[in-house]
Amino acid sequence: MSGWAVERPGPADSGPLTAVRRPVPEPGPGDLLVSVEACGVCRTDLHLAEGDLAPHRPATVPGHEIVGRVVAAGEAVTAFRTGDRVGGAWLRGTCGRCRYCRAGAENLCPESTYTGWDADGGFADTALIPADYAYPLPEAASAEKLAPLLCAGIIGYRALRRSALPPGGRLGIYGFGGSAHLAAQVALSEGATVHVLTRSARARDLARELGAASVGGAYDAPPEPLDSAILFAPVGDLVPVALAALDRSGTLAVAGIHLTDIPPLSYHRELFYERNLRSVTANTRRDGREFLAAAARIGIRVTTRPYPLSRAPEALADLAGDRIEGAAVLLPDEPFRPS
């Protein structure tokens, strides 16, 4: 297999990805070996490559928005067969025994594992996906358009639910990249009024096209108090800004796995009147199933920028530099054959 591994974490423009060629992995009893059709480039991949997230293992292949075809299945697999199109997402494994798993909160399992962090992911032409954590995907859809749904979409959906947006409510979205532009469409389909606040002019244009009621800069005040807000930008300075924009009893959900430090909060200005601050941790498989069904039902529009697999470092650097509208996606690249 050919792919890219994080061997020396550092700034995206310093070359943290190294081209690798390794033996094709053997599927275990419960695994699917897939030929990768597309893999989205998530901000979590950037955090891992740049060292914001401590590596869980050396020289891991990142990527957890995997669309692929099953080429081999382990002996215990019954739900999939060779030739099926499947998706591999961030959540890769849980214990199934702890109180969190038993309560339907498997995203909080202390033994949870993650694709592209605890095991090699989809920045490669071949990947292993545990069958119990794979999603069946439609045949007719473009692999490029499906890939961002598998993390950007799923985590955006969980963040939307964590924001406790009431029916017909007013939602503020801070940052408008791959995840935010998908969550916004779910909210709009459910009758919400959406206000987008982001520093990117191109992202503001996309928000207008998708139906946002207003757009503004990241530190601007929305035109009306918000019932709910989601912070997608990994910028702790925006937490008090978003909290101050909430109406009484409003909720802010912080969607990222990494966030810069939050400055001191003013109790009266940002937390009083029962404003709520919530984090978002990974996702459950139920989140994934619900979101993929919603995406199909509403005909979600996925804005992507494709890159050949051989240019994965460029995609990562463009993401770091906020030069991507929507989501970057890596596609198979026949000439890519690292030694």
Side-chain angles (χ1 to χ4, degrees), residues 1 6 20 66 116 121 140 169 176 186 204 206 218-219 228 236 246 269 275 307 311 323 329:
M1 58 161 274
V6 178
V20 295
I66 304 169
F176 204 71
V186 177
R204 292 195 291 269
L206 177 59
Y219 291 86
S228 302
L246 293 174
R269 186 171 58 249
R275 296 184 181 98
Y307 293 79
R311 290 168 51 196
R323 294 186 290 272
V329 180

Side-chain angles (χ1 to χ4, degrees), residues 118-133:
D118 295 288
D120 288 341
F123 280 28
D125 54 21
T126 308
L128 280 180
I129 301 173
D132 286 346
Y133 293 82

